[in-house]
Structures are given as structure tokens and as C-alpha cells.
Amino acid sequence: MVAATSDTLKLAGEEDSSKRRQILDGARKVFMDLGFDGASMGEIARSAGVSKGTLYVYFADKNSLFEAIVEEESLEQGKLAFNFDPARDVETTLREFGRAYVQVLCRPSGGSAVRTVMAIAERMPEVGRRFYENVLQKTISGLADYLAAHVKPGDLAIDDCQLAASQFIETCKASLFLPFVFQVAPAPSAERAEQVVDSATRMFMAAYRAKAE
């Protein structure tokens, strides 16, 4: 009997991680192409280049595989760091954030991820809740905290910073995200996104800039 060494254990762990990554990548493509209901474990196995037996070693069923993908998407988007430095000018920060947010939201896989989560949220509410809290609410709260930092010195006059942050984000998405997510239009150009975000910023400042006494 050959004793397991730290090197062999490390190699086994790396292989296990690589195989799991292979399965998740294949499954993501199937879910994005066919949706949750259209995807099957057999189709996922073919896309991932593994046998169904191997697939079931890592994931018990389609639900657990989908949950793993949503969790991964949440973690990846959670790593995005928008510049909410309180020392920065409000209008500059809003414009830069808005453009970056639209770019992230309307990236090639962004619309598919949102469509798929929305489609499954009713039967798997915990998955929808985690995606909302870890991705969407986290961004809203980050912007709200930044706005609150500019209410104190009197730059902005906002009673509800969470509401104001949500309003700005939704206005940045106006005419861009819904046509994209429903596949009516391609991802917006940088020029179009800039135009919409600049308009959203002007509207926001008109509503919330502190009035001089």
C-alpha cells in the first residue's frame, strides 16, 4: 500500500477543482442557451465534456448545479469595486459609476444571468434572494453610503439615501437594460450609455442638490 503524500493530495485537490470548474463552465453555457427548464443533466455533461456519472459525483441534481453557478456569479460580481470614495466630487462619481454599472450589467453574460435567475426565483426563492442581496443590494448600499457621506456636509439634500441610490441606478438603466435583457437590442454602445448616464446624473442633481440658502 502506497501512503498518500502531501504532493499527491495537492495534485488530487487541484484535479478535483479543475474538474468542478469544467462542469460549471459547461453548465453555465447550457443554462444560458436553454434556460433552466430546457437544460438537462445529459446536455450539461456533454457540454462539460464529462460523463453523467462524473457529473453526479460533483452535483446531486440540476438544482444544486444551478445554485452553484448563481453563487459563483454573485461572488464574482461582489468583487467589483466601484469608486465610492467620499472625497470625490458627486457628479463625477455618479457619471463614472453609472457608465461602469451599465457596462457590467449589459455585458454578454449579464443579461442571460439575470433572465435565468428571474425565471427560477419563484420556485427557488432562496437562490433569487441570495443573488439580489449579494449583487444588486450590495451595489445599491454602496452608492447609498456614498450619498449619505455627502448629505452630512450639505452637498446633497436626501432624506432616504437607499431610495435615492435605487432611483439613480434605475434611471441609468432606462432604455438600455430592458431592451438588452429581452434581446430586443444589443448591448448599448459606450456613447449611448454615456448619453443616458449623463442625463440620469443631471436629473439626480436637479432633484437632490442642496439648495443654497
Side-chain angles (χ1 to χ4, degrees):
M1 180 177 179
V2 179
T5 66
S6 59
D7 285 342
T8 58
L9 289 173
K10 181 179 179 182
L11 287 172
E14 290 174 350
E15 182 179 350
D16 184 69
S17 178
S18 176
K19 186 66 68 176
R20 189 175 191 276
R21 161 59 41 214
Q22 182 180 337
I23 291 170
L24 287 174
D25 288 343
R28 181 179 285 104
K29 184 178 186 308
V30 174
F31 282 129
M32 295 308 140
D33 289 346
L34 304 178
F36 182 85
D37 290 329
S40 68
M41 291 296 270
E43 188 64 38
I44 290 168
R46 283 191 292 274
S47 177
V50 300
S51 68
K52 286 183 70 173
T54 298
L55 181 58
Y56 281 111
V57 167
Y58 289 85
F59 297 98
D61 52 33
K62 188 168 66 171
N63 285 12
S64 62
L65 183 49
F66 183 75
E67 286 193 48
I69 290 174
V70 172
E71 192 70 26
E72 187 174 71
E73 178 75 12
S74 299
L75 291 172
E76 285 302 310
Q77 291 201 34
K79 293 176 184 176
L80 295 173
F82 299 108
N83 192 345
F84 291 139
D85 181 352
R88 301 181 80 230
D89 169 73
V90 174
E91 290 190 54
T92 300
T93 299
L94 290 177
R95 284 193 171 92
E96 289 186 2
F97 161 72
R99 293 169 190 170
Y101 186 74
V102 168
Q103 183 179 30
V104 168
L105 202 63
C106 296
R107 71 196 192 285
S109 63
S112 295
V114 172
R115 279 194 301 272
T116 307
V117 173
M118 288 174 64
I120 201 64
E122 186 172 350
R123 81 181 76 164
M124 297 171 64
E126 181 63 21
V127 173
R129 185 188 65 79
R130 286 205 306 270
F131 185 82
Y132 181 84
E133 291 180 350
N134 296 335
V135 177
L136 306 179
Q137 185 58 51
K138 184 176 180 180
T139 301
I140 293 170
S141 295
L143 178 57
D145 290 344
Y146 170 81
L147 297 175
H150 282 269
V151 170
K152 294 177 182 178
D155 301 328
L156 298 171
I158 302 174
D159 294 327
D160 187 336
C161 288
Q162 284 279 331
L163 173 60
S166 295
Q167 288 172 331
F168 180 71
I169 288 172
E170 291 302 316
T171 310
C172 286
K173 292 159 54 179
S175 80
L176 303 179
F177 181 63
L178 287 181
F180 171 72
V181 80
F182 286 110
Q183 298 181 308
V184 174
S189 65
E191 292 76 18
R192 177 58 180 164
E194 181 177 341
Q195 181 184 24
V196 172
V197 171
D198 285 352
S199 175
T201 303
R202 289 193 299 271
M203 291 173 64
F204 185 90
M205 295 305 296
Y208 289 119
R209 190 194 304 271
K211 305 297 189 291
E213 297 182 1

Short mmCIF file of all heavy atoms in Angstrom, two decimals, residues 3 18 56-57 86 90 92 102 113 149 153 181 188 198 205:
data_model
loop_
_atom_site.label_atom_id
_atom_site.label_comp_id
_atom_site.label_asym_id
_atom_site.label_seq_id
_atom_site.Cartn_x
_atom_site.Cartn_y
_atom_site.Cartn_z
N ALA A 3 1.48 5.06 0.74
CA ALA A 3 0.93 6.11 1.57
C ALA A 3 0.73 7.38 0.75
O ALA A 3 1.53 7.70 -0.11
CB ALA A 3 1.87 6.40 2.75
N SER A 18 -10.26 21.54 -10.83
CA SER A 18 -10.29 21.73 -12.28
C SER A 18 -11.51 21.06 -12.89
O SER A 18 -12.17 21.63 -13.78
CB SER A 18 -9.01 21.15 -12.90
OG SER A 18 -9.05 21.23 -14.30
N TYR A 56 -22.59 13.57 -11.59
CA TYR A 56 -23.33 13.31 -10.35
C TYR A 56 -22.41 13.15 -9.14
O TYR A 56 -22.87 13.26 -8.00
CB TYR A 56 -24.22 12.09 -10.51
CG TYR A 56 -25.50 12.37 -11.26
CD1 TYR A 56 -25.71 11.84 -12.54
CD2 TYR A 56 -26.48 13.18 -10.72
CE1 TYR A 56 -26.88 12.10 -13.24
CE2 TYR A 56 -27.66 13.45 -11.41
CZ TYR A 56 -27.85 12.91 -12.67
OH TYR A 56 -29.00 13.19 -13.36
N VAL A 57 -21.13 12.92 -9.37
CA VAL A 57 -20.17 12.88 -8.27
C VAL A 57 -20.06 14.27 -7.64
O VAL A 57 -19.93 14.42 -6.42
CB VAL A 57 -18.80 12.40 -8.75
CG1 VAL A 57 -17.73 12.65 -7.69
CG2 VAL A 57 -18.84 10.91 -9.09
N PRO A 86 -15.64 58.96 -0.54
CA PRO A 86 -16.43 60.15 -0.16
C PRO A 86 -15.76 61.47 -0.51
O PRO A 86 -16.44 62.50 -0.61
CB PRO A 86 -16.55 59.99 1.37
CG PRO A 86 -16.35 58.54 1.62
CD PRO A 86 -15.36 58.09 0.59
N VAL A 90 -19.38 64.64 -6.40
CA VAL A 90 -20.59 63.84 -6.58
C VAL A 90 -20.90 63.58 -8.05
O VAL A 90 -21.13 62.44 -8.47
CB VAL A 90 -21.80 64.50 -5.89
CG1 VAL A 90 -23.08 63.72 -6.21
CG2 VAL A 90 -21.59 64.58 -4.39
N THR A 92 -19.03 63.72 -10.75
CA THR A 92 -18.02 62.87 -11.38
C THR A 92 -18.20 61.42 -10.96
O THR A 92 -18.15 60.50 -11.79
CB THR A 92 -16.60 63.34 -11.01
OG1 THR A 92 -16.42 64.68 -11.46
CG2 THR A 92 -15.54 62.45 -11.65
N VAL A 102 -23.55 50.14 -16.06
CA VAL A 102 -24.24 49.74 -17.29
C VAL A 102 -23.37 48.76 -18.08
O VAL A 102 -23.87 47.78 -18.64
CB VAL A 102 -24.59 50.97 -18.15
CG1 VAL A 102 -25.04 50.55 -19.55
CG2 VAL A 102 -25.69 51.79 -17.47
N ALA A 113 -27.70 35.87 -17.31
CA ALA A 113 -27.70 35.52 -15.89
C ALA A 113 -28.94 36.05 -15.19
O ALA A 113 -29.60 35.35 -14.43
CB ALA A 113 -26.43 36.07 -15.21
N ALA A 149 -22.66 60.24 2.83
CA ALA A 149 -21.46 60.98 3.21
C ALA A 149 -21.47 62.40 2.66
O ALA A 149 -20.78 63.28 3.18
CB ALA A 149 -20.22 60.24 2.71
N PRO A 153 -22.23 67.03 4.97
CA PRO A 153 -21.65 68.38 4.80
C PRO A 153 -22.55 69.35 4.03
O PRO A 153 -22.17 70.50 3.81
CB PRO A 153 -20.36 68.09 4.02
CG PRO A 153 -20.66 66.86 3.24
CD PRO A 153 -21.55 66.03 4.13
N VAL A 181 -31.93 42.90 -22.05
CA VAL A 181 -32.21 41.66 -21.34
C VAL A 181 -33.30 40.85 -22.04
O VAL A 181 -33.31 39.61 -21.98
CB VAL A 181 -32.60 41.93 -19.86
CG1 VAL A 181 -34.05 42.35 -19.72
CG2 VAL A 181 -32.34 40.71 -18.98
N PRO A 188 -25.74 48.24 -25.33
CA PRO A 188 -25.61 49.63 -25.79
C PRO A 188 -24.15 50.01 -26.05
O PRO A 188 -23.25 49.50 -25.39
CB PRO A 188 -26.20 50.44 -24.63
CG PRO A 188 -26.03 49.56 -23.43
CD PRO A 188 -26.22 48.16 -23.94
N ASP A 198 -25.36 60.44 -18.36
CA ASP A 198 -25.25 61.89 -18.17
C ASP A 198 -26.61 62.51 -17.89
O ASP A 198 -26.75 63.39 -17.04
CB ASP A 198 -24.63 62.54 -19.42
CG ASP A 198 -23.13 62.31 -19.51
OD1 ASP A 198 -22.55 61.78 -18.54
OD2 ASP A 198 -22.53 62.65 -20.55
N MET A 205 -29.09 65.32 -9.82
CA MET A 205 -28.58 66.53 -9.18
C MET A 205 -29.65 67.61 -9.10
O MET A 205 -29.71 68.37 -8.13
CB MET A 205 -27.35 67.04 -9.92
CG MET A 205 -26.15 66.09 -9.88
SD MET A 205 -25.63 65.61 -8.20
CE MET A 205 -25.13 67.21 -7.52
#
